[in-house]
Amino acid sequence: MKLLVKLGGTLLDAPEPRDRLAAEVAQARREGVEIVVVHGGGRQMTRYLAERGIASRFVNGLRVTPPEIVDAVLKVFAGSVNHELVASLNRAGAPAVGLSGIDAFLVEAEQMDPALGAVGRVTKSNPALLHLLAGNGFVPVVACVAGDRQGAIYNVNADQMAVACAAAFHADQLIFLTDVDGVLDGTGQVRPLLTARESEQLIAAGVATGGMQAKLNAALAALRGGVGRVCIAPGSTGNVLSRLLGGEALGTRMVLSGGQAA
């Protein structure tokens, strides 16, 4: 089985949850699952910039990335956040390799909108490095930074990075581990199953906004890109990976249409 796990930056902001999730990834790997991990680091990035007197600004859940903070994007996402997670995985017994989309053209991107600065839209993903590493027992850990053939560097939404890697890797399952219990409806209740149409309705009604809006769009893109199963689940739940892989209903499972609910 091929699995891609996307970890939100909030789950990586302290040693305890990071080490717990690393142990769960290591356990799944020991059971024969080929795993790729993609991570964000938004909270760490916001704190890093604030410590330097730079305010963070977001448009539709995307961080505006002017040229002067691209260096910070590399230092935080591909630097400290990535390698702290790699170290936790290594300690848990899962030999991990820290990467970004720049490495070996793993993920290529183009500028999404000049108004957003160096925010990238994924244009292509080359899974050769993921297959090489995961197929030989390593855990690729991919930071949400991409490049292009001219050497430009882009900050890519981590959910979109996860989708690009999952589709190219031909993942059987994509699991978004978040700091919430799942996708909430207008009454604040978790939706255990959500179709594409229902997701669009939550966005149109203003119920799913910002980061959750981006996550829903990414989940649907993954399903349309051939990923067999997509789930948005609470990363704070104990043994969340083994429980999800065992078929337990945690969080929100995404499907394209009601006919796929079975």
Side-chain angles (χ1 to χ4, degrees), residues 1 8 36 38 49 93 154 165 170 186 196:
M1 177 185 179
V36 174
V38 173
L49 293 175
Y154 296 104
C165 291
H170 299 300

Side-chain angles (χ1 to χ4, degrees), residues 59 110-121:
V59 175
E110 63 183 9
Q111 187 179 49
M112 182 177 291
D113 182 343
L116 296 175
V119 172
R121 175 193 295 109

Side-chain angles (χ1 to χ4, degrees), residues 66-127:
E68 58 268 23
I69 74 166
V70 170
D71 184 59
V73 166
L74 290 173
K75 286 179 177 176
V76 175
F77 295 154
S80 58
V81 176
N82 184 269
H83 286 84
E84 285 171 355
L85 179 55
V86 166
S88 290
L89 286 162
N90 285 341
R91 185 163 54 247
V97 180
L99 302 167
S100 76
I102 298 171
D103 293 292
F105 298 112
L106 173 58
V107 176
E108 297 180 52
E110 63 183 9
Q111 187 179 49
M112 182 177 291
D113 182 343
L116 296 175
V119 172
R121 175 193 295 109
V122 174
T123 58
K124 185 178 180 182
S125 182
N126 175 9

Side-chain angles (χ1 to χ4, degrees), residues 55-259:
S56 294
R57 189 163 65 89
F58 297 86
V59 175
N60 295 326
L62 300 173
R63 183 185 299 273
V64 178
T65 308
E68 58 268 23
I69 74 166
V70 170
D71 184 59
V73 166
L74 290 173
K75 286 179 177 176
V76 175
F77 295 154
S80 58
V81 176
N82 184 269
H83 286 84
E84 285 171 355
L85 179 55
V86 166
S88 290
L89 286 162
N90 285 341
R91 185 163 54 247
V97 180
L99 302 167
S100 76
I102 298 171
D103 293 292
F105 298 112
L106 173 58
V107 176
E108 297 180 52
E110 63 183 9
Q111 187 179 49
M112 182 177 291
D113 182 343
L116 296 175
V119 172
R121 175 193 295 109
V122 174
T123 58
K124 185 178 180 182
S125 182
N126 175 9
L129 195 54
L130 301 181
H131 289 310
L132 175 66
L133 291 169
N136 284 280
F138 298 96
V139 178
V141 181
V142 186
C144 54
V145 181
D148 66 15
R149 296 278 168 165
Q150 288 70 49
I153 295 171
Y154 296 104
N155 174 18
V156 175
N157 174 270
D159 293 331
Q160 295 174 13
M161 178 71 78
V163 170
C165 291
F169 185 56
H170 299 300
D172 299 294
Q173 187 165 179
L174 167 58
I175 297 175
F176 293 95
L177 292 183
T178 74
D179 56 357
V180 297
D181 291 334
V183 181
L184 307 181
D185 61 20
T187 67
Q189 300 299 307
V190 174
R191 295 290 299 270
L193 186 71
L194 206 57
T195 67
R197 180 176 177 81
E198 289 167 340
S199 300
E200 291 162 355
Q201 289 171 341
L202 288 177
I203 293 170
V207 174
T209 61
M212 184 53 74
Q213 176 180 347
K215 201 172 302 297
L216 288 176
N217 286 331
L220 294 174
L223 290 168
R224 290 168 178 145
V227 176
R229 186 181 179 95
V230 178
C231 185
I232 299 172
S236 60
T237 300
N239 299 313
V240 62
L241 276 185
S242 62
R243 292 166 69 180
L244 286 169
L245 292 175
E248 186 172 338
L250 288 173
T252 302
R253 185 161 70 92
M254 306 287 299
V255 297
L256 285 176
S257 63

